[in-house]
Amino acid sequence: MPSRFRPASLAAALLVTSALPTFAADETAEVWRLFVTDQQAGRVTALDATSGETLGVFPTTGYVTHLKPSESGSILFAVQMDHDMVNVIDSGLRFTSHGDHGDVEISDPALLDLELAGSRPVHIVPHGDEMIQFYDRDGEARVYNEAALLEGDTKHDIFRSAAPVHGVAVPMDKYMLMAEPNLTAETKAGDLPPRFGLSILDETKAQVGDAAVCTGLHGEASSAGMVAFGCAEGVLVAEPQSGAEPKLTMLTYGDDLPDGTVGTLLGAKSMQYFLGNYGDKGVVVIDAKAENPFSLTELPVRRVDFALDPKRVTTAYIFTEDGRIHALDTISGELSRSTQVTDPYSKDGHWRDPRPRLAVMGDEIAITDPRASLVRILDAETFSELRTIEVEGLPFNITAVGGSGLTH
């Protein structure tokens, strides 16, 4: 794949850090914390990523299906789809930028004494100082303010779709991009209608124009101001327009691609491109401005999880069911190295069966190994295993939060 990505402004990389020993005044600290869900039990474990110390075990209402930090890393949403609940965790980390340097304040992580109840919460979108949580069976997106939540205030704005739907909502300038259901489709009692496409709501919450077709809309990501959504027809991208509503463009799957669709998307932060799944054994790099926007890489076996490296901006990591991790060069589309990490984890069986998940933190990669009750820490350059951290139960979803700054 030719080097054709457009550079973009560097955004503050979101990392996960751990508590550090006492530092002298005005000393630079790099902090990393890992937050890990259990595949069966309702809890999130906070870990010091360096020492492996458990910093807290936070009980949740039920099994956590999604765990996502805010853009600043100050809070995390622990979403329990089957229990109609979202718990909020204070990461204990505060990063402040001063232009030529940044500061970091470190305290203990904590489970906030508030609950964000609603019918079937699933997709969360961090955006600036906001967290947008979609509740499928309510057919609404709630916009929460990070600072308010830290003060115990759950006030929120609401944007609604035409009807309940497995949806998502993404802000863009003064507009909201909103998944919409197909209200003409036959739906069994108790089921949500299929996704039809994407509408644009203005600041009065009125729809602007007709909804764009994006059948089965699933998966969203942002990259350098652009937002992408996975569809049956291709990938729908939204771009901001000065003084007008966002521009929507469908990138249709080319004839050179095998059968498949994109349903999970990741967005690069320092370059404008996306990485998506494609079929059981493929990933696609998506460059929305290229003549052929899709570059497919076929994997040797089925894919389990994948992640972009915010520091090494043209590198992604893919874990496959044979227990191996692979480094993908997102420019060439080639797998540059691979290493055995765990025993095999077959993709056969239920989608919720315990399987590894990845998180990138600076120069290291964290991988959950549920059957071994471990988090394995690898060197990002060599894939050598640096250490392991024992975690009670079946460690599953994992998120890293952190970075570097001056301590005062």
Side-chain angles (χ1 to χ4, degrees), residues 294-375:
F294 298 97
S295 177
L296 174 67
T297 299
E298 290 279 5
L299 303 167
V301 294
R302 291 177 292 186
R303 176 199 62 255
V304 173
D305 195 25
F306 60 103
L308 287 169
D309 190 327
K311 182 175 180 179
R312 299 158 186 82
V313 297
T314 62
T315 300
Y317 306 111
I318 307 166
F319 187 89
T320 49
E321 64 177 346
D322 54 1
R324 298 181 70 84
I325 187 172
H326 313 267
L328 172 70
D329 184 322
T330 58
I331 299 294
S332 68
E334 300 294 325
L335 298 178
S336 59
R337 63 187 186 280
S338 301
T339 300
Q340 191 76 35
V341 180
T342 71
D343 291 336
Y345 278 85
S346 173
K347 285 292 293 293
D348 291 334
H350 197 279
W351 67 272
R352 284 189 178 175
D353 288 346
R355 299 182 184 95
R357 296 291 185 266
L358 308 176
V360 184
M361 47 180 188
D363 294 324
E364 297 178 343
I365 305 166
I367 304 179
T368 54
D369 189 350
R371 289 201 299 259
S373 296
L374 292 175
V375 174

Side-chain angles (χ1 to χ4, degrees), residues 148-319:
L149 290 172
L150 286 167
E151 294 295 324
D153 187 347
T154 62
K155 65 182 178 184
H156 57 272
D157 197 5
I158 295 177
F159 288 80
R160 290 187 172 87
S161 58
V165 64
H166 180 44
V168 68
V170 185
M172 181 169 281
D173 293 336
K174 62 181 181 180
Y175 299 93
M176 184 70 78
L177 308 174
M178 176 77 73
E180 293 292 348
N182 183 347
L183 299 179
T184 64
E186 292 187 11
T187 305
K188 295 180 180 179
D191 288 350
L192 292 169
R195 280 88 69 196
F196 161 74
L198 188 78
S199 64
I200 300 174
L201 306 184
D202 64 18
E203 53 195 340
T204 71
K205 302 179 183 177
Q207 183 172 321
V208 179
D210 296 329
V213 174
C214 177
T215 308
L217 185 153
H218 195 279
E220 63 76 32
S222 298
S223 178
M226 182 181 288
V227 180
F229 302 87
C231 318
E233 299 84 3
V235 171
L236 182 68
V237 295
E239 297 178 86
Q241 304 292 307
S242 178
E245 68 271 15
K247 176 184 176 183
L248 301 180
T249 304
M250 176 62 75
L251 309 175
T252 56
Y253 303 124
D255 294 336
D256 56 336
L257 289 175
D259 289 342
T261 60
V262 171
T264 300
L265 283 161
L266 304 176
K269 303 305 178 187
S270 301
M271 300 173 68
Q272 192 176 75
Y273 73 92
F274 301 91
L275 181 68
N277 64 336
Y278 197 83
D280 286 332
K281 293 173 59 179
V283 292
V284 285
V285 175
I286 304 161
D287 177 4
K289 298 301 182 182
E291 182 178 350
N292 180 8
F294 298 97
S295 177
L296 174 67
T297 299
E298 290 279 5
L299 303 167
V301 294
R302 291 177 292 186
R303 176 199 62 255
V304 173
D305 195 25
F306 60 103
L308 287 169
D309 190 327
K311 182 175 180 179
R312 299 158 186 82
V313 297
T314 62
T315 300
Y317 306 111
I318 307 166
F319 187 89

Side-chain angles (χ1 to χ4, degrees), residues 35-156:
F35 295 84
V36 186
T37 72
D38 191 284
Q39 197 272 344
Q40 291 179 331
R43 64 186 174 208
V44 177
T45 301
L47 301 170
D48 179 318
T50 302
S51 70
E53 176 189 358
T54 297
L55 304 175
V57 179
F58 307 121
T60 55
T61 305
Y63 163 71
V64 176
T65 50
H66 297 75
L67 182 67
K68 184 168 286 190
S70 60
E71 285 193 358
S72 74
S74 296
I75 63 172
L76 302 96
F77 272 23
V79 179
Q80 299 130 73
M81 179 177 70
D82 297 334
H83 293 81
D84 297 338
M85 184 60 66
V86 178
N87 292 110
V88 185
I89 297 170
D90 179 348
S91 72
L93 300 176
R94 303 289 185 272
F95 293 92
T96 305
S97 175
H98 297 291
D100 60 337
H101 75 281
D103 291 347
V104 56
E105 297 179 19
I106 305 170
S107 60
D108 293 335
L111 180 66
L112 297 181
D113 186 20
L114 50 85
E115 294 179 330
L116 310 181
S119 297
R120 200 174 185 269
V122 184
H123 290 296
I124 328 107
V125 175
H127 180 78
D129 59 358
E130 297 175 335
M131 295 285 275
I132 298 88
Q133 176 67 61
F134 202 94
Y135 292 82
D136 289 359
R137 293 197 178 278
D138 293 327
E140 66 182 36
R142 302 181 191 172
V143 183
Y144 293 95
N145 178 268
E146 178 180 59
L149 290 172
L150 286 167
E151 294 295 324
D153 187 347
T154 62
K155 65 182 178 184
H156 57 272

